[in-house]
Amino acid sequence: MIHETPSNPNDDDYDTSSNFLLDIAPLVLTAIILMVQFFVFKDFTPHIPLACGILLTGLFVKLRGRNWQGMEDRFLKVIKIGLPAILILMGVGMLIGSWIIAGTVPTILYYGFSIFSPSSFLVSVCIICAIISVATGTSWGTVGTVGLAMMGIGMGLGIPAYLTGGAIVSGAFFGDKMSPLSDTTNLTPAAAGVDLWEHIQGMLPTTVPAMVTALVLYAWIGMSYGSDNIDMTSVQTLQTTLMDNYTISLWTLLPAVVVVGAAVMKMPAIPTVLSGVVVASLVAFFMQGVGVSEIFTVLQNGFVSETGSEVVDKLLSKGGVMSMTWVVTLTIFALGFVGSLEHYGTLKAIMHKIKHMVKSRLGLVLTSYASVIGVGTIIGDVYTTLVLPARLLKDKYQEMGYKRTTLTRAIEDSGTLLSPLIPWNMGGSFVAATLGIATLAYAPFAFACWLSPLFGLLWAVLGKFIPKEDDADMPARHDNVPAASVSIEKF
């Protein structure tokens, strides 16, 4: 469990002013800078706009007669909350590299392609992308590698690109959402003060039925396409390349078994990841003939594949601590920006508006989904979309007696899964550019992505899978704040 040391709002944060627009001005101006970066400069790197947002907030703090140090103290506290997720991300970088040289990822790929059949192409694509994404924790990596290969095969089978793209996105982002190795899956619970495994378990009621429904729809649509007599040379070539360059064996799946076993036993995330790294390194040494020096280099800088196959080399050239620097630095900027807004009073001002409107369970869940979709649509940065609503609403769940796992589930449902469906969001722009399909063309067929939040809203209406806190647990689970003293005014 991640605990956040409570702070005195009178010391750390401002009260709201009489002017709501003044209170939210830093957020609005930063959103404008982000949109200029995305749409004018055509650069979907949000680091510098977020850094500008921190400076802008600091200027507004100065205008209100306070100094920079108070704001810095606050955003450093918020960054500290994300440090476990940052450490996990660096461990995941090592894990991906070690799984590649151990043959774990190549083996998963090999057997994943074996379940492929033309008569069930869309179902197979979705399952394969889900397997790879869960194993590696990266939807973007899956889309940019296996996804590209599947696009080519789909074209050969005569299946429309928008259908193949929808199946790829459904599988890849399902895996990203559910994988304990994913950056979004680690950052979201960290921002809201929720345990990683509780967060993953809490997502099952929406993610599983959405994925099952998506597979049924893909099977139904796929019946109109393909034939078992179509040449599968492309898939066989990929399998042959993997077999020629790695020892493919069930033993190479041992690192994955260790990580899954540790997850089932609910071991802390960092020991879980590191145990997977150690086991994979041993497998790489004894089964793949990789030397100790090379193992250390891969753990630091990642692996560079040289099989001669463009698709395989692009998929397997990754991993290492350094591969996570883009995400880690963005996480720091996003957390720092949100912490600055907390200190200035922006979140408190928004929360004052919300608390007068939210009076029921359904209103609380609807607000959660609406806030995430709003941030994802306006700002377009995945990480701010995850962090900002988590910090904004976590105390409201506490005040109303509901577990924050419902909040983190809503954030992933409408943040992680809907990001590839918004054309100007980082996720949507990446997928469209990588697969060469317009976002709005494949979005209707990315069933798992938009069905998941719909199931979340259904459970909110029915009152299902919205757990409440046990009275005995509340003091220990909510940032060490006694239950009787909890108030939305903490913002």
Side-chain angles (χ1 to χ4, degrees):
M1 172 56 62
I2 301 170
H3 292 293
E4 176 190 348
T5 303
S7 57
N8 185 341
N10 295 324
D11 295 336
D12 285 344
D13 302 332
Y14 286 111
D15 287 325
T16 56
S17 69
S18 57
N19 189 330
F20 180 70
L21 291 179
L22 179 63
D23 290 334
I24 66 171
L27 177 60
V28 173
L29 292 174
T30 303
I32 292 173
I33 296 174
L34 279 164
M35 286 187 283
V36 170
Q37 173 86 335
F38 293 164
F39 303 128
V40 178
F41 301 153
K42 305 298 182 183
D43 185 347
F44 290 89
T45 306
H47 298 61
I48 303 307
L50 290 174
C52 292
I54 294 174
L55 292 176
L56 279 171
T57 309
L59 290 176
F60 277 92
V61 166
K62 187 67 176 178
L63 289 174
R64 296 184 68 175
R66 297 281 287 271
N67 58 36
W68 168 274
Q69 190 61 48
M71 188 185 83
E72 181 177 316
D73 291 342
R74 181 59 176 174
F75 73 63
L76 287 177
K77 288 181 181 179
V78 176
I79 292 174
K80 182 179 179 182
I81 297 169
L83 285 180
I86 290 172
L87 292 174
I88 291 170
L89 289 176
M90 291 190 288
V92 167
M94 292 191 290
L95 189 66
I96 292 172
S98 64
W99 277 24
I100 292 173
I101 60 175
T104 305
V105 172
T107 299
I108 292 172
L109 275 173
Y110 182 86
Y111 289 116
F113 285 129
S114 296
I115 70 174
F116 182 89
S117 67
S119 60
S120 58
F121 176 74
L122 295 176
V123 172
S124 298
V125 166
C126 187
I127 292 174
I128 289 170
C129 289
I131 291 173
I132 301 305
S133 191
V134 169
T136 61
T138 168
S139 55
W140 289 20
T142 302
V143 169
T145 51
V146 175
L148 281 177
M150 294 297 100
M151 287 297 297
I153 296 171
M155 292 176 63
L157 298 179
I159 296 177
Y162 56 82
L163 287 177
T164 305
I168 291 168
V169 170
S170 284
F173 282 82
F174 161 85
D176 192 313
K177 179 187 178 186
M178 297 305 296
S179 174
L181 310 183
S182 167
D183 49 2
T184 61
T185 310
N186 281 279
L187 180 59
T188 301
V194 173
D195 177 75
L196 172 63
W197 303 119
E198 288 187 9
H199 167 59
I200 293 175
Q201 183 179 1
M203 292 191 292
L204 294 176
T206 59
T207 309
V208 172
M211 191 61 169
V212 171
T213 305
L215 292 175
V216 171
L217 291 172
Y218 290 134
W220 177 65
I221 295 173
M223 292 171 62
S224 303
Y225 298 96
S227 167
D228 288 333
N229 296 322
I230 293 177
D231 182 19
M232 295 302 297
T233 304
S234 298
V235 173
Q236 294 168 359
T237 300
L238 291 174
Q239 289 182 306
T240 300
T241 301
L242 293 169
M243 183 68 77
D244 290 344
N245 289 273
Y246 295 91
T247 299
I248 303 297
S249 165
L250 292 178
W251 286 107
T252 60
L253 296 177
L254 184 59
V257 172
V258 169
V259 171
V260 171
V264 171
M265 293 187 293
K266 296 185 177 181
M267 286 180 56
I270 293 177
T272 296
V273 171
L274 294 181
S275 64
V277 172
V278 171
V279 173
S281 299
L282 292 174
V283 172
F285 180 81
F286 288 106
M287 294 196 65
Q288 307 293 346
V290 182
V292 174
S293 176
E294 184 178 353
I295 291 174
F296 281 16
T297 299
V298 169
L299 295 182
Q300 173 67 22
N301 299 313
F303 179 70
V304 178
S305 176
E306 298 177 343
T307 66
S309 168
E310 183 179 356
V311 172
V312 172
D313 289 343
K314 187 174 181 181
L315 176 62
L316 299 183
S317 295
K318 58 182 56 183
V321 172
M322 298 307 295
S323 70
M324 291 295 171
T325 54
W326 193 94
V327 174
V328 167
T329 52
L330 179 54
T331 300
I332 292 172
F333 278 124
L335 290 170
F337 176 57
V338 172
S340 300
L341 293 179
E342 285 189 0
H343 177 73
Y344 178 68
T346 299
L347 301 192
K348 185 188 293 185
I350 297 173
M351 201 64 243
H352 277 320
K353 295 288 185 182
I354 291 175
K355 79 171 187 175
H356 295 301
M357 298 183 292
V358 177
K359 302 295 184 181
S360 65
R361 175 197 69 244
L362 179 59
L364 181 63
V365 176
L366 283 172
T367 300
S368 301
Y369 280 100
S371 62
V372 179
I373 294 173
V375 175
T377 301
I378 295 172
I379 295 183
D381 164 34
V382 177
Y383 298 95
T384 306
T385 302
L386 302 177
V387 175
L388 186 55
R391 301 297 296 168
L392 179 67
L393 293 169
K394 64 186 182 68
D395 285 353
K396 187 63 178 178
Y397 274 78
Q398 179 175 321
E399 177 188 325
M400 296 182 67
Y402 291 101
K403 289 188 175 182
R404 294 177 184 172
T405 51
T406 302
L407 170 61
T408 57
R409 180 177 71 201
I411 290 172
E412 292 254 45
D413 283 346
S414 49
T416 302
L417 291 185
L418 293 188
S419 68
L421 310 187
I422 302 172
W424 53 87
N425 191 283
M426 290 171 60
S429 61
F430 171 82
V431 173
T434 302
L435 299 184
I437 317 170
T439 304
L440 296 181
Y442 68 75
F445 303 97
F447 299 122
C449 292
W450 55 262
L451 281 172
S452 190
L454 290 182
F455 273 106
L457 294 175
L458 175 63
W459 301 145
V461 171
L462 299 178
K464 303 293 185 181
F465 307 112
I466 314 290
K468 301 198 74 171
E469 286 284 6
D470 296 329
D471 291 340
D473 293 339
M474 289 186 69
R477 290 176 54 82
H478 295 294
D479 306 338
N480 295 329
V481 181
S485 66
V486 171
S487 169
I488 201 63
E489 300 301 326
K490 181 174 180 290
F491 275 102

